[in-house]
């Protein structure tokens, strides 16, 4: 029986475990450096192509109880002018919704499903990968360190297949690429948080506003609470890290460094879009977090023998277009599918990489140009003082081309998604 070891108990790793189980594999171990998986972190958006795959894994009903279908996405000029308003998910013709959900809620739901389906010992917290060694027969030797709260120890394991799902600072990736160094920083920092605000201040839509140097992304994570009429809101703000707004030390420091929400709010004074004030939403947060906007250079290969990468460990990209968690979920399903149709694990990993790596490399590069969010840059460049007619600034045909190009790069155009999952066990890969 093939033993799969997954490094990282985040969205990518846990979804990979569930996808492997769905494909018929039962000997799966997820090791996670944190000593417990807790519902922490801000929110995220999952596109319909990934929601489709989560539905195939039998998770949509459970996740829908914790999240909110995203029905509309608006882009705004930083001065307040509406650039575009686009339906999302079911309203845009997809068979599956786009889902706004708390990262922690999603991670806990995935972990619960892994333990239920693969057994309570399938997720092992307090264990981190310290290094890997590729052996002549292809199987990796994995050095691990563990801590149960009191005791510390180290050792090594030799799983049949090692899957690095341990994020942008992946130890597995570093073991395969020891000379890579730090993730490159683009000079911006991201502030993120979750706030609870009165429904009248929340809006019912997701919006992205600003330009290439300062940006706000704000959206609701739930329907109004019937007990008090408030709405849980997610927000993420991008600001230069060299103007006093965020210290360069954040680049190499704690990726979840807490900062006062008031400090974030004052940089967005006056930013209000159809009744939603960024300043008021952010000021309502109990806490805020800061981290650098970094990505990874595309790799020439993800797989070495029986070791491969998924999610941010494989293709960390700038947060544009809601593709971080989305593509991690699709990676998981594609990898499990490849392993189910190739008897040789090394051949399976090579097939998985051949399908996913070229597309993800293109998407990484597209996100460096802000992907579909480039429209807020264009609006600011062409009309820095605002506009009265957006069609005269960015013609509808140009906006449509930007959207269509990005949908094609990520394989999430409605006709493509609505054909159904290409990763369902038993379905030939060539069939839609």
């Amino acid at each position: 029986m093939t033993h799969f070891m997954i490094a990282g108990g985040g969205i990518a790793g846990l979804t990979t475990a569930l996808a492997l189980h769905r494909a018929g594999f039962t000997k799966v171990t997820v090791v996670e450096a944190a000593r417990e998986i807790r519902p922490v972190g801000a929110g995220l958006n999952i596109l319909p192509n990934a929601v489709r795959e989560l539905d195939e894994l039998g998770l949509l009903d459970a996740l829908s109880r914790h999240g909110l279908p995203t029905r509309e996405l608006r882009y705004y000029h930083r001065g307040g002018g509406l650039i575009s308003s686009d339906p999302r998910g079911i309203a845009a013709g997809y068979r599956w919704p786009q889902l706004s959900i708390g990262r922690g809620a999603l991670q806990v739901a995935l972990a619960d499903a892994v333990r239920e389906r693969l057994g309570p010992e399938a997720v092992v917290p307090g264990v981190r990968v310290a290094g890997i060694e590729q052996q002549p027969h292809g199987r990796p030797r994995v050095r691990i360190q563990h801590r149960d709260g009191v005791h510390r120890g180290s050792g090594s394991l030799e799983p049949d297949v090692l899957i690095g799902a341990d994020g942008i600072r992946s130890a597995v990736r570093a073991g395969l690429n020891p000379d890579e160094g730090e993730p490159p920083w683009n000079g911006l920092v991201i502030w993120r948080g979750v706030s609870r605000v009165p429904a009248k201040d929340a809006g019912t839509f997701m919006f992205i506003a600003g330009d290439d140097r300062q940006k706000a992304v704000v959206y609701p994570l739930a329907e109004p609470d019937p007990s008090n009429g408030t709405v849980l809101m997610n927000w993420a703000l991008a600001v230069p890290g060299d103007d006093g707004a965020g210290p360069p030390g954040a680049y190499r420091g704690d990726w979840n460094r807490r900062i006062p929400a008031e400090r974030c709010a004052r940089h967005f004074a006056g930013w209000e879009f159809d009744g939603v004030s960024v300043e008021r939403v952010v000021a309502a947060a109990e806490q805020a977090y800061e981290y650098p906007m970094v990505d990874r250079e595309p790799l020439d290969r993800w797989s070495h023998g029986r070791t491969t990468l998924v999610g941010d460990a494989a293709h960390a990209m700038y947060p544009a277009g809601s593709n971080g968690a989305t593509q991690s979920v699709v990676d998981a399903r594609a990898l499990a599918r490849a392993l189910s149709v190739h008897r040789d694990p090394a051949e399976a990993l090579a097939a998985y990489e051949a399908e996913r790596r070229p597309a993800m490399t293109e998407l990484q590069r597209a996100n460096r140009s802000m992907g579909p969010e480039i429209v807020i840059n264009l609006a600011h460049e062409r009309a820095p003082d605002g506009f009265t007619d957006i069609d005269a600034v960015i013609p509808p045909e140009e906006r449509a081309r930007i959207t269509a190009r990005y949908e094609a790069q990520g394989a999430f155009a409605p006709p493509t998604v609505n054909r159904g999952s290409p990763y369902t066990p038993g379905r030939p890969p060539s069939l839609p």
Side-chain angles (χ1 to χ4, degrees):
M1 185 180 296
T2 305
H3 177 212
F4 296 91
M5 179 178 174
I6 301 171
I11 293 166
L14 294 169
T15 307
T16 300
L18 293 169
L20 289 169
H21 176 266
R22 177 75 171 84
F25 301 103
T26 58
K27 194 174 182 182
V28 181
T29 304
V30 180
V31 297
E32 164 57 38
R35 282 182 276 174
E36 60 178 317
I37 294 177
R38 297 181 293 116
V40 296
L44 50 81
N45 233 253
I46 307 174
L47 297 178
N49 57 325
V51 175
R52 176 192 67 190
E53 301 306 326
L54 293 169
D55 190 21
E56 284 277 327
L57 294 174
L59 297 168
L60 182 54
D61 288 345
L63 296 181
S64 295
R65 291 193 291 270
H66 295 285
L68 180 72
T70 309
R71 303 179 183 94
E72 182 184 7
L73 170 61
R74 300 181 184 180
Y75 290 104
Y76 290 97
H77 186 280
R78 64 178 297 159
L82 180 65
I83 298 170
S84 66
S85 175
D86 304 312
R88 309 299 286 179
I90 301 296
Y94 288 96
R95 291 170 52 193
W96 290 270
Q98 180 169 324
L99 190 63
S100 298
I101 189 170
R103 179 181 294 274
L106 173 59
Q107 190 174 0
V108 169
L110 293 172
D112 288 346
V114 170
R115 293 186 180 106
E116 177 184 347
R117 299 176 191 185
L118 286 160
E121 304 303 318
V123 180
V124 184
V127 174
R128 63 178 292 271
V129 172
I132 63 171
E133 176 186 345
Q134 294 298 310
Q135 301 183 90
H137 51 65
R139 288 175 60 183
R141 177 178 289 125
V142 186
R143 289 188 292 109
I144 59 171
Q145 296 174 344
H146 62 84
R147 180 181 180 185
D148 63 7
V150 177
H151 303 95
R152 298 172 182 264
S154 61
S156 64
L157 297 172
E158 291 188 13
D160 295 302
V161 176
L162 173 64
I163 300 166
D166 45 346
I168 192 170
R169 293 185 182 273
S170 166
V172 177
R173 176 173 175 138
L176 300 175
N177 304 274
D179 299 324
E180 185 174 29
E182 290 285 331
W185 182 37
N186 71 353
L188 300 178
V189 295
I190 297 174
W191 294 327
R192 61 182 175 84
V194 175
S195 304
R196 188 167 287 280
V197 302
K200 64 181 179 61
D201 297 329
T204 59
F205 50 88
M206 174 182 183
F207 72 81
I208 300 172
D211 55 34
D212 64 334
R213 298 300 291 168
Q214 191 169 353
K215 181 177 72 170
V217 181
V218 180
Y219 53 89
L221 290 170
E223 298 287 358
D225 186 331
S227 67
N228 57 26
T230 61
V231 174
L232 193 65
M233 301 284 288
N234 184 72
W235 51 268
L237 314 174
V239 295
D242 56 359
D243 68 349
Y251 174 39
R252 297 183 186 276
D254 184 355
W255 281 61
N256 289 290
R257 193 168 75 90
R258 292 190 182 189
I259 61 172
E262 296 81 2
R263 173 181 152 197
C264 305
R266 66 174 178 259
H267 284 271
F268 289 82
W271 284 46
E272 184 167 329
F273 307 95
D274 286 327
V276 182
S277 164
V278 176
E279 184 180 12
R280 286 198 299 271
V281 169
V282 174
E286 293 185 359
Q287 57 194 24
Y289 297 90
E290 178 183 73
Y291 63 96
M293 188 183 291
V294 297
D295 65 358
R296 281 291 192 185
E297 293 294 338
L299 290 174
D300 292 332
R301 60 187 296 191
W302 295 351
S303 304
H304 298 248
R306 294 188 178 195
T307 300
T308 197
L309 305 169
V310 295
D312 282 353
H315 49 69
M317 59 187 75
Y318 291 160
S322 301
N323 265 294
T326 290
Q327 297 301 338
S328 295
V329 169
V330 179
D331 282 352
R333 289 279 287 163
L335 175 57
R337 169 70 195 192
L339 286 160
S340 73
V341 298
H342 294 273
R343 293 184 62 85
D344 183 338
E347 291 181 5
L349 302 191
Y352 151 72
E353 179 180 334
E355 177 194 349
R356 293 292 294 162
R357 187 173 58 80
M360 292 303 96
T361 295
E362 187 175 358
L363 203 58
Q364 283 180 284
R365 290 172 176 156
N367 276 18
R368 285 183 171 178
S369 300
M370 292 185 68
E373 297 171 20
I374 190 66
V375 294
I376 66 174
N377 289 14
L378 295 175
H380 181 69
E381 290 170 2
R382 298 174 186 179
D385 298 322
F387 52 81
T388 56
D389 180 8
I390 186 59
D391 291 349
V393 179
I394 311 176
E397 298 80 7
E398 184 178 5
R399 300 199 302 270
R401 284 196 304 271
I402 291 169
T403 298
R405 182 170 63 246
Y406 195 71
E407 287 180 343
Q409 288 168 332
F412 45 80
T416 302
V417 175
N418 289 346
R419 293 190 189 109
S421 175
Y423 307 120
T424 301
R427 174 181 288 176
S430 61
L431 293 182

